[in-house]
Amino acid sequence: MFKPFTILCLGAALSATPASAQLSPSTGSQSDLSSRGPVAYVYVASSPGNEGPNVIVGYSASSNGALTRIPGSPFHRNIRPMAVNGQYLMGANATNNHPKIYTLQIGSDGALTYVTSTPCVQKDNQCLAAFNLFFDHTGSDLYVMELNDSDQTNTASFAVDKSSGSLNYLGDAITGTLPNDSAGTSFIGDDEYAYLASEDGCMYYTIDGFQREASGLLNLINIQFNLPTPPPGVSIYYPDLAVTDHANHVAILEQPTNAPECASGPVQLAVYTADASGNLHTKSTYKNMPASLIQNPNDMKMSPSGRLLAVGGLQGLQIFHFNGANPITHYTGLLTSDPIAQMFWDNQNHLYAISQSSGKLYVFTITATEHQQAQGSPHAISGPQYIAVQPLTH
């Protein structure tokens, strides 16, 4: 079963008029950053609602998570979803009028410079809007989830010319009817298989598996998977959001369901293992899956170490221990009760999260044993919509 068209954020992208951003004074000093060097660049697509175009607000992050505005920020480019590959930031424009994918070069100081643009419409795919961008692990290929004129999704594949930033269209994989726009697609460690999970109103669900060809083309494949054993009184678990580690494990949020209605009970976290053919199998049951305090999830992200799992949504932000093929275990309570829309990790134990409704950018320092908000967090920012984080250290 596939998820019908019920996207709130995409609807805003197609109907709302984006605007430029206003920020609070930056925290941390530029001299402090330059003496030790930043550990990440953080980019937020923002729209404060004054009927102007979007801008990209850029920060340098220091080793303690303090943020300083990148010189030249905000950058005047009207985009929403973004992805970075170390050299370029790719972003889809915030309008349904001739949708494009923009290539912006990331400078040595984090500043963004326009390079080129690529039409979202390629050959016969009839792209109306792009709402999810992601790279393979090497940054060689860009994948764009697009809405077509049949209310279906195409996952378009592009090869990145690293010398020019131009995109070479490879082809489309028709995913099906539209999942929610927060349902990201994530590669396991071999860079061959990727997964997407989404559910809608406890009526429809999907776990989509993709296989990447040597050319970079991403194809939808027919994978086999089982669902966790539900508790008494619950018919089935519906998968809702998936994220991978750098081995062959996939964390999936599970919504207890008595279709066509949601069942009482919290969202829980299952762990799957991918086999050599891309099929998924789980030993998770209602007895060994931890319950989340996030009942209405928007995003889920795995730390680079593969040991921490962040879940964000309407109720706030919570962190779990991820244990490979073993059951996921509890770690923190809510780190904030502000609704979290999207988040990303860097490689120095920092998690960056935006709250659209409260107009904040959070920065947390989180290890397996300690967690705290970084200096100056949360940062006030008007109309944060999407976030991308470029780690600068390994």
Side-chain angles (χ1 to χ4, degrees), residues 352-369:
Y352 307 84
I354 56 171
S355 175
Q356 294 176 338
S357 60
S358 64
K360 295 175 184 176
L361 166 60
Y362 282 92
V363 186
F364 295 93
T365 302
I366 307 172
T367 68
T369 57

Side-chain angles (χ1 to χ4, degrees), residues 45-103:
S46 298
S47 170
N50 63 1
E51 298 187 356
N54 274 17
V55 297
I56 306 170
V57 183
Y59 295 100
S60 292
S62 69
S63 58
N64 67 359
L67 300 183
T68 296
R69 188 89 70 90
I70 291 173
S73 173
F75 304 99
H76 294 274
R77 187 57 56 181
N78 188 20
I79 65 173
R80 289 172 61 89
M82 301 174 290
V84 290
N85 71 347
Q87 186 176 4
Y88 299 108
L89 180 149
M90 306 290 185
N93 62 346
T95 175
N96 62 336
N97 183 24
H98 306 296
K100 297 178 180 179
I101 308 300
Y102 288 93
T103 300

Side-chain angles (χ1 to χ4, degrees), residues 38-45 56-62 65-67 70 79-91 106 110 112 133-137 139 246 299 301-304 310 340 342-354 360-364 379 381 385-394:
V39 300
Y41 295 135
V42 182
Y43 302 100
V44 181
I56 306 170
V57 183
Y59 295 100
S60 292
S62 69
L67 300 183
I70 291 173
I79 65 173
R80 289 172 61 89
M82 301 174 290
V84 290
N85 71 347
Q87 186 176 4
Y88 299 108
L89 180 149
M90 306 290 185
I106 302 173
L112 299 176
L133 281 67
F134 59 101
F135 284 98
D136 70 301
H137 291 316
H246 283 284
D299 196 13
K301 290 295 192 303
M302 185 77 69
S303 69
I340 296 299
Q342 193 183 26
M343 55 201 171
F344 281 100
W345 297 85
D346 67 12
N347 292 334
Q348 295 295 308
N349 303 314
H350 301 129
L351 179 67
Y352 307 84
I354 56 171
K360 295 175 184 176
L361 166 60
Y362 282 92
V363 186
F364 295 93
H379 305 267
I381 180 168
Q385 298 176 353
Y386 290 85
I387 184 172
V389 175
Q390 178 58 65
L392 299 177
T393 55
H394 298 285

